[in-house]
Amino acid sequence: MAEVKMHEVVLRWGIILGVAGVLMLVLSPVIIGNFGTFYPTAGAPVAMAVTTLYSVATIALLPFSASLVAASLVMRHAEALAARKEARPDEPASS
């Protein structure tokens, strides 16, 4: 069985969260229109909770996705640098 590297897992989750965020943005008029509310009213606490949670999740998914993708790229680069350093151990470390 092939070993799964950490940067691949982080990249995969970043892509999944990005797709979920985009789908939530596309579907937000349908979800908010059917289950949420566009206007705050005192008589609809469940609709206000749905609207608030949906808005927070939509806003949070895309930046978190971008940070996971960036972190996976940094981890991959660090792994490549470590492999290159192991391949040539006789050279002094540059500062």
Side-chain angles (χ1 to χ4, degrees), residues 17-56:
L17 289 179
V19 169
V22 168
L23 284 176
M24 286 180 74
L25 280 174
V26 169
L27 296 176
S28 76
V30 174
I31 301 295
I32 299 298
N34 288 326
F35 303 109
T37 181
F38 291 110
Y39 307 106
T41 58
V46 174
M48 287 300 298
V50 167
T51 302
T52 304
L53 291 174
Y54 193 83
S55 298
V56 168

Side-chain angles (χ1 to χ4, degrees), residues 7 70-82:
H7 66 84
S72 74
L73 293 174
V74 169
M75 290 189 303
R76 182 173 181 228
H77 182 68
E79 185 179 291
L81 287 178

